[in-house]
Amino acid sequence: MFKKLKEYDVSNKRVFLRLDLNVPVKEGKIKDDSRITAALPTIRYLLERNARVVAASHLGRPKNGPAPEFSLAPVAKRLAELLPGTDVVFAGDVVGDDAFSKASALKEGELLLLENLRFETGETKGDEELAAKIRKFGDVYVTDAFGAVHRAHASVFQAPKLFDVVLAGFLIEKEIQYLKENLEKPERPYFALLGGAKVSDKIPILKSLVEKVDGIAIAGGMAYTFLYARGEKVGRSILETEMVGTATAIMKRAAERGIPFLLPVDHVIASSMEDPVPTESAKIDDNSSAFDIGPKTIALFAAEIKKAKTIVWNGPMGVFEKEQFRKGTVEIAKAVADTGAVKIVGGGDSVSAIKVAGVENRITHISTGGGASLELIAGDKLPGVEILYEKGQ
Ligand code: ADP
Ligand code: MG
């Protein structure tokens, strides 16, 4: 098992805190601070116990060391606003003189935010020397950087190896609880709902889920590669011809296992995404694309959803960003929300879709990680999670 934040007395300790504060920043302005607010419970918990906290995160993908557009300075400013009464200090480097002098001057209940971890090129390379320097910032390693646990980066994987005490923050605790512990022994029937744009993005999760679940429904853009593989006409719908073999193999596995494998049986089609008069149709003509699932498909999927005790959902059912093509996603979101099952939703657009449908309060767990969520749901071993288990023994 892994050790949770509350299972160790962090009072007055020097803590290195790995966070995911990778927010969108444009011209020094933060466009969406939800990753910062999501980290607050763990930060507050530590500060309330008078820990001296050295926090660190990556932001964007700087390639060759420091680059001002990837600075965490705006994040430090926002953190200070969100933590009134707390001294938030910002370091101009990661493991340089400024960081270490500010870290040693840190008082109890104060927070130091380091500059972007990826300004050190050793971070993404999993450099041991960088990890050894990070070790000097504290006696306790706490992580809440769920969005980064699938990377064997220095601050995620090599650094925690060097600490005696390694703890999972509140965000990661929940993510592991639902995406790993819960899905390793799911209450059955276990049903997967997959959508989104492309099959190619979702191959690992598809291959893994087809072995584990008791039923799958596929919609969204990727459904059309499956329908095409079955010999159906898909018109100008999004189609990945190079994925037809993969799609066929996945459907074959589902058939061998004898599990329901549902695809759309009707669609909302239009000649282009801008078309103001979309039509419902069981067939897709040569000049149309399917941008949403139709009413029969909604009913078909909803009937299966009703029976489930565990539901995993990734990927919208249609082009939900456009009002004309939103109904499928919204209706399915409601059907999922209405069940008493354990309901887990992951994926950036899927989370937005759940909010558009207004059911976010009725979903058991909404995962915050993109790639990390999908990999954990697929049952992959993630470096940043494995190390928590190793250290938690
Ligand atoms: P997530 O971020 O939840 O993993 P994806 O990124 O895989 O989801 O997919 C989301 C995108 O898929 C949305 O932008 C949506 O418009 C698109 N999409 C859904 N259905 C279709 C469709 N039928 N045709 C084209 N694009 C689609
Ligand atoms: Mg997406």
Side-chain angles (χ1 to χ4, degrees):
M1 211 35 193
F2 62 98
K3 208 174 215 135
K4 299 167 188 153
L5 186 49
K6 284 196 175 165
E7 291 171 350
Y8 181 84
D9 184 7
V10 291
S11 305
N12 310 87
K13 294 280 191 309
R14 286 167 64 233
V15 173
F16 176 80
L17 175 62
R18 178 52 161 106
L19 296 172
D20 175 8
L21 304 175
N22 183 22
V23 293
V25 178
K26 219 173 173 187
E27 283 148 17
K29 292 221 160 53
I30 296 168
K31 296 284 156 201
D32 175 0
D33 69 355
S34 28
R35 286 203 171 135
I36 306 177
T37 52
L40 290 176
T42 293
I43 297 175
R44 286 205 183 102
Y45 181 88
L46 292 167
L47 295 175
E48 278 162 11
R49 277 150 193 81
N50 283 322
R52 280 177 279 178
V53 181
V54 176
S57 172
H58 65 288
L59 190 143
R61 299 186 174 202
K63 286 276 171 294
N64 306 302
E69 67 271 31
F70 295 112
S71 173
L72 275 168
V75 174
K77 210 174 134 218
R78 186 80 190 107
L79 262 180
E81 287 163 9
L82 292 166
L83 296 166
T86 302
D87 276 316
V88 176
V89 186
F90 181 61
D93 51 27
V94 183
V95 285
D97 293 343
D98 196 42
F100 280 107
S101 69
K102 283 174 178 161
S104 54
L106 210 59
K107 296 196 188 68
E108 292 179 341
E110 286 182 357
L111 178 102
L112 168 68
L113 179 66
L114 304 179
E115 188 45 289
N116 190 343
L117 283 161
R118 291 189 185 165
F119 286 0
E120 287 293 326
T121 49
E123 167 66 0
T124 53
K125 295 186 187 124
D127 182 45
E128 309 271 349
E129 274 175 46
L130 176 58
K133 287 179 187 163
I134 288 173
R135 171 68 178 84
K136 292 188 196 152
F137 284 119
D139 302 313
V140 177
Y141 176 99
V142 179
T143 176
D144 235 354
F146 183 66
V149 288
H150 57 320
R151 315 256 186 228
H153 291 174
S155 66
V156 177
F157 185 58
Q158 283 76 12
K161 282 188 195 168
L162 307 174
F163 285 80
D164 295 329
V165 184
V166 174
L167 306 172
F170 299 129
L171 267 184
I172 286 214
E173 178 190 333
K174 267 191 81 191
E175 295 282 7
I176 297 180
Q177 182 61 52
Y178 285 108
L179 304 188
K180 183 176 160 73
E181 300 282 331
N182 233 297
L183 295 184
E184 276 171 0
K185 297 175 218 75
E187 205 179 326
R188 293 182 184 273
Y190 174 13
F191 190 71
L193 199 54
L194 294 170
K198 289 178 168 177
V199 181
S200 49
D201 290 344
K202 309 281 165 85
I203 296 169
I205 191 166
L206 273 165
K207 284 191 173 159
S208 146
L209 286 178
V210 75
E211 303 296 338
K212 293 180 177 152
V213 298
D214 304 304
I216 299 189
I218 294 192
M222 69 188 220
Y224 299 96
T225 299
F226 283 89
L227 288 171
Y228 181 86
R230 267 193 187 171
E232 289 190 33
K233 282 204 157 84
V234 298
R236 292 192 290 148
S237 306
I238 181 168
L239 172 65
E240 290 169 280
T241 41
E242 67 286 2
M243 286 295 131
V244 170
T246 305
T248 306
I250 287 166
M251 290 192 282
K252 188 164 164 259
R253 266 313 283 156
E256 282 165 4
R257 288 195 58 229
I259 58 167
F261 190 95
L262 310 179
L263 289 173
V265 293
D266 61 347
H267 320 271
V268 177
I269 60 170
S271 60
S272 84
M273 220 185 278
E274 280 66 43
D275 197 316
V277 266
T279 49
E280 283 170 6
S281 169
K283 295 236 172 343
I284 310 168
D285 61 75
D286 290 346
N287 297 314
S288 296
S289 310
F291 293 119
D292 195 7
I293 53 175
K296 290 204 177 76
T297 308
I298 294 173
L300 176 74
F301 286 12
E304 226 35 58
I305 288 166
K306 251 190 192 152
K307 297 184 216 157
K309 291 269 165 48
T310 302
I311 300 170
V312 163
W313 181 3
N314 167 258
M317 302 285 100
V319 183
F320 75 103
E321 296 94 333
K322 292 222 177 263
E323 204 181 337
Q324 303 97 300
F325 310 117
R326 184 171 295 167
K327 193 172 173 206
T329 302
V330 169
E331 292 303 316
I332 293 299
K334 286 183 187 158
V336 169
D338 283 344
T339 69
V342 172
K343 300 157 263 190
I344 296 169
V345 176
D349 293 295
S350 312
V351 174
S352 316
I354 285 291
K355 289 184 181 156
V356 167
V359 298
E360 65 266 40
N361 297 329
R362 292 195 286 144
I363 301 298
T364 319
H365 180 66
I366 298 180
S367 182
T368 53
S373 310
L374 297 191
E375 288 185 31
L376 202 53
I377 291 171
D380 292 354
K381 293 206 178 304
L382 313 189
V385 173
E386 292 304 304
I387 193 70
L388 286 175
Y389 278 78
E390 207 179 299
K391 287 287 180 175
Q393 281 166 12

